Amino acid sequence: DGTRVAVSASTANTVHVLNINTGQQLGSFATGGKPHENIFTKDGKYIWNMAIGDVNTDSDAPWQDFTKGDRHITVVDATTYKQVKVIDMRDKLNAIGLTDYSDAVRPAVFSPDESKLYFQVSFFNGFFEYDVATDKITRMKTLPKNPATSEDRTTWVNDSRHHGISMSPDGAKLCVAGTMDDYATVVDRTTLQEGPLVTASKPYWATVSGDGKDCVISESGADQVTAIDFATGRKTVSVPVGDHPQRVRLGHVGADWTSPSS
């Protein structure tokens, strides 16, 4: 409802929830190592936090994954901030034979009915589909690699390969930022078939435009944000912004709002 903001204190393994109007803390909760993304469920009852662990080390080989710390999803009651559930994707990945894949959940997005969670992990060019009710990974999508991208994992920014995912309001399309591969693409959620690879310079996050028609990515390497049409999968516009844009978020301003100077 826009009255609270959940802030990850990444070096304290804690999330603080603040009143958006007063700035006062309403509560906090413990997480795994290096909390990252926070998602409120649509009804406002729960907060899902994704802990990504240590992403600044050079211990990036698959056999060194255990050095990255305690990474899991923490689900809490959004009123009491008490833990409701912990989800460890290590077990889910192992169950489908992906023992060498990182379990550090990066950006994630729910389907409109919140029955499915789509998420990215460190070092992977693609994403996974997780079924909330059955507590299982149900599908995996591998996206194309850019031949120009180095395969030296230590050169990838903060253990990213693909980092940024959003969904059209109707749940039909996903938009993926292929960070280290320098593109973004719209993926059909039913078939998991990707559309055109839209060239982008180190896109590092993805969100949805106010009218729901476009995916909006931050091109951190080009100092611009770019809109991609969900229907066609093609770029519509780019807008210059400040140096190294990273996260993009949609803000809603009331129709009766006026600036302090007016």
Side-chain angles (χ1 to χ4, degrees):
D1 60 5
T3 62
R4 294 172 289 169
V5 59
V7 182
S8 290
S10 61
T11 58
N13 298 346
T14 302
V15 170
H16 302 275
V17 183
L18 310 180
N19 180 296
I20 206 84
N21 294 307
T22 68
Q24 302 232 334
Q25 178 168 294
L26 302 173
S28 63
F29 59 92
T31 67
K34 302 292 179 67
H36 192 231
E37 179 88 337
N38 292 296
I39 302 176
F40 278 90
T41 55
K42 283 196 302 186
D43 57 14
K45 290 184 178 179
Y46 301 102
I47 303 170
W48 287 53
N49 172 267
M50 292 56 163
I52 60 173
D54 293 317
V55 296
N56 303 117
T57 71
D58 285 339
S59 303
D60 293 344
W63 67 268
Q64 297 170 313
D65 190 63
F66 72 95
T67 67
K68 298 293 185 177
D70 178 20
R71 296 150 298 173
H72 59 255
I73 296 174
T74 303
V75 184
V76 301
D77 184 294
T79 301
T80 65
Y81 308 109
K82 301 295 184 184
Q83 187 181 103
V84 173
K85 188 176 184 180
V86 171
I87 302 168
D88 187 346
M89 287 299 176
R90 175 77 278 138
D91 298 337
K92 323 303 177 198
L93 291 163
N94 290 351
I96 57 175
L98 302 180
T99 57
D100 284 345
Y101 281 63
S102 172
D103 61 350
V105 177
R106 310 298 291 251
V109 63
F110 278 110
S111 59
D113 64 2
E114 296 181 334
S115 66
K116 300 285 194 301
L117 182 76
Y118 296 85
F119 67 93
Q120 295 162 313
V121 299
S122 294
F123 307 116
F124 178 49
N125 50 300
F127 60 88
F128 294 94
E129 177 188 80
Y130 168 78
D131 186 89
V132 176
T134 63
D135 191 29
K136 293 179 179 178
I137 292 174
T138 44
R139 290 194 294 173
M140 167 186 177
K141 173 61 178 178
T142 302
L143 285 164
K145 294 181 178 181
N146 184 338
T149 299
S150 169
E151 289 299 322
D152 178 1
R153 289 183 174 207
T154 64
T155 66
W156 299 350
V157 179
N158 294 334
D159 293 357
S160 305
R161 178 128 196 184
H162 287 190
H163 191 282
I165 188 167
S166 63
M167 185 179 295
S168 59
D170 62 3
K173 303 287 181 65
L174 289 153
C175 176
V176 179
T179 308
M180 300 309 303
D181 291 299
D182 288 332
Y183 70 78
T185 188
V186 172
V187 179
D188 184 281
R189 191 161 75 93
T190 300
T191 64
L192 296 189
Q193 178 61 49
E194 70 270 16
L197 303 186
V198 178
T199 300
S201 182
K202 200 178 288 182
Y204 218 82
W205 212 267
T207 189
V208 179
S209 63
D211 60 9
K213 294 180 179 179
D214 293 330
C215 164
V216 181
I217 60 170
S218 53
E219 291 193 60
S220 62
D223 299 342
Q224 64 185 17
V225 294
T226 293
I228 299 170
D229 189 295
F230 275 115
T232 66
R234 301 193 179 278
K235 172 180 169 177
T236 57
V237 68
S238 293
V239 180
V241 294
D243 184 38
H244 195 89
Q246 192 174 5
R247 286 160 178 77
V248 278
R249 289 285 188 256
L250 188 67
H252 296 275
V253 179
D256 58 348
W257 181 86
T258 56
S259 69
S261 60
S262 63

